[in-house]
Amino acid sequence: MKNLFIVFVALILFNTNSYTQILNPGDGVRIIFYNINDNISGDYYIQQDGLLQLPFIGNIDTRNRDFKFIKNQIVTKYDSLYKNPELTVQPLLRINILGEVRNPGYYYVTDVEKITGILALAGGVTGAAASKEIYILRGEEEIELNVSELTAKGNTAADFGLRSGDRIFVPRSFWADASQYAIIFSGIAVLSTVIALLIR
């Protein structure tokens, strides 16, 4: 019974840690107010010193603090400024999308984006993409995503554990390379035939 309790606690700790999101300089937050007339909804970015400057409430120190803490700080400060404000606060993660996408590069992604929406930011995948085998590259770590499963379940970036600084890599399809080689070999065959005819 004691061992079961330890396993239960460990699972809780593991799940809690899996949802921890650290924001880095260059990342940001998206704040949307629903019942405030002041024009303060928008995207705000963390400066190199780790400070996040927001309208009317000043700086939020993001250094060594996870997103849940930062969000709580923002909501608490605006709650003290306005009467019962209705707002959402989402992290903006700076992600590098690479490989077989139409416009590779850096993009800002919220934690509620789905994998299809994330790829759409980069113009979608190319015709040569192995779109069912997408990887998250995190330092030396390589995490494979089952895109069919994610699409079927509608999992968000938070659900599959996307983090600030991750690289999303869409590999090239084997069949795209195979067809390319087939064209080359066909060209060589045609060239050989032409040479043989000229030699005669």
Side-chain angles (χ1 to χ4, degrees), residues 9-105:
V9 171
L11 286 172
I12 291 175
L13 290 173
F14 175 78
N15 288 333
T16 300
N17 290 335
S18 66
Y19 287 100
T20 299
Q21 181 64 259
I22 301 295
L23 299 185
N24 298 308
D27 294 329
V29 296
R30 175 168 293 163
I31 303 175
I32 302 174
F33 283 89
Y34 299 100
N35 63 341
I36 301 297
N37 292 327
D38 291 337
N39 187 24
I40 53 178
S41 293
D43 296 346
Y44 301 91
Y45 299 95
I46 300 172
Q47 302 167 27
Q48 289 303 312
D49 58 6
L51 297 179
L52 175 65
Q53 189 171 22
L54 298 173
F56 306 129
I57 62 172
N59 291 329
I60 301 288
D61 190 349
T62 68
R63 290 170 295 186
N64 302 315
R65 293 169 177 171
D66 66 26
F67 173 69
K68 287 182 181 179
F69 180 88
I70 296 167
K71 178 180 178 179
N72 185 60
Q73 288 282 97
I74 293 170
V75 171
T76 300
K77 289 194 175 189
Y78 277 119
D79 189 58
S80 66
L81 185 65
Y82 295 102
K83 184 178 179 180
N84 300 321
E86 295 177 13
L87 72 157
T88 59
V89 183
Q90 296 172 329
L92 286 173
L93 312 175
R94 192 166 184 260
I95 303 299
N96 194 2
I97 306 177
L98 306 166
E100 291 296 329
V101 291
R102 300 189 189 284
N103 301 302

Side-chain angles (χ1 to χ4, degrees), residues 141-198:
E141 190 179 4
E142 186 176 284
I143 305 164
E144 184 175 356
L145 298 180
N146 186 326
V147 178
S148 298
E149 184 178 322
L150 288 175
T151 304
K153 291 183 178 179
N155 288 5
T156 64
D159 294 329
F160 61 81
L162 193 67
R163 296 183 191 172
S164 167
D166 280 349
R167 291 164 291 158
I168 294 179
F169 177 69
V170 181
R172 187 175 177 81
S173 167
F174 165 79
W175 296 109
D177 287 333
S179 62
Q180 187 178 50
Y181 289 130
I183 292 170
I184 292 172
F185 289 137
S186 297
I188 292 172
V190 170
L191 183 62
S192 298
T193 302
V194 170
I195 291 172
L197 290 172
L198 290 174

